[in-house]
C-alpha cells in the first residue's frame, strides 16, 4: 500500500502541479522559503490526511485543491512575506492531504506514508526547476 500511495500524488495532475508549484515558488522566494514552504506543505498535507481518515466531510476541499493550483500558479509571479506564503501553502496542503485520504477508502498508515513520500519528488523537482529558472534569468541579465 506504500507503493500505491507513493504513485497517487504523481498520477493526479492537480496534486502534481500543486507540489511542483510549491517547490518552484520556494526557490523563487529563496532564503528560508526553500526549506520552509515544502516542509509546511508536507506537514499540512499529513495533517489533512489525518483529518480525512477521521471525518468524511471537509466542505469545499475539492474546490480548494483546484483553487490551490490556480493560486500557486499566480503566486509564482508574486513576492510575499514568508509567513504569508507558508500560510497559503499550509492551507492548500491540508486540502490536498484531506482529498488524498478520502480518495482512498483503503487509506492506512502505509498508504498515507507513501503519499507523503511521493509528494517529495515533485516538490524537489519544483525546487530544482525554480533554481534553474532563476540561474537562467540571472545569466541572461548579465549578458544583456
Amino acid at each position: 500500500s506504500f507503493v500505491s500511495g507513493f504513485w497517487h500524488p504523481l498520477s493526479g495532475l492537480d496534486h502534481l502541479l500543486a507540489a511542483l508549484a510549491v517547490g518552484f515558488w520556494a526557490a523563487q522566494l529563496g532564503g528560508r522559503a526553500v526549506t520552509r514552504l515544502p516542509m509546511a506543505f508536507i506537514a499540512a498535507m499529513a495533517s489533512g490526511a489525518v483529518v480525512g481518515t477521521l471525518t468524511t466531510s471537509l466542505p469545499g476541499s475539492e474546490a480548494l485543491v483546484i483553487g490551490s493550483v490556480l493560486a500557486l500558479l499566480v503566486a509564482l509571479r508574486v513576492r510575499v512575506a514568508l509567513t504569508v506564503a507558508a500560510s497559503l501553502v499550509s492551507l492548500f496542503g491540508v486540502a490536498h492531504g484531506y482529498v488524498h485520504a478520502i480518495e482512498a477508502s483503503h487509506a492506512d498508515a502505509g498508504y498515507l506514508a507513501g503519499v507523503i513520500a511521493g509528494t517529495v519528488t515533485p516538490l524537489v523537482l519544483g525546487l530544482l526547476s525554480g533554481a534553474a529558472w532563476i540561474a537562467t534569468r540571472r545569466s541572461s541579465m548579465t549578458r544583456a
Side-chain angles (χ1 to χ4, degrees):
S1 86
F2 177 88
V3 173
S4 62
F6 183 87
W7 288 110
H8 184 81
L10 302 173
S11 62
L13 190 58
D14 54 347
H15 300 291
L16 181 64
L17 286 175
L20 285 167
V22 167
F24 198 96
W25 195 25
Q28 183 181 7
L29 292 175
R32 294 180 300 170
V34 169
T35 55
R36 297 220 175 135
L37 290 188
M39 287 172 40
F41 189 72
I42 291 289
M45 212 174 89
S47 299
V50 169
V51 171
T53 60
L54 298 176
T55 184
T56 57
S57 177
L58 184 62
S61 58
E62 283 290 343
L64 191 54
V65 166
I66 300 301
S68 72
V69 174
L70 298 174
L72 284 165
L73 294 175
V74 170
L76 293 175
R77 303 295 290 160
V78 179
R79 240 177 126 76
V80 298
L82 179 57
T83 54
V84 172
S87 296
L88 284 172
V89 164
S90 294
L91 175 66
F92 300 151
V94 167
H96 281 266
Y98 174 80
V99 169
H100 281 306
I102 64 166
E103 284 176 348
S105 58
H106 64 284
D108 60 8
Y111 178 85
L112 295 174
V115 169
I116 299 298
T119 301
V120 171
T121 301
L123 282 169
V124 170
L125 289 174
L127 278 168
L128 294 173
S129 299
W133 180 77
I134 291 166
T136 302
R137 288 197 57 189
R138 287 186 182 147
S139 174
S140 67
M141 288 179 174
T142 57
R143 283 189 249 148

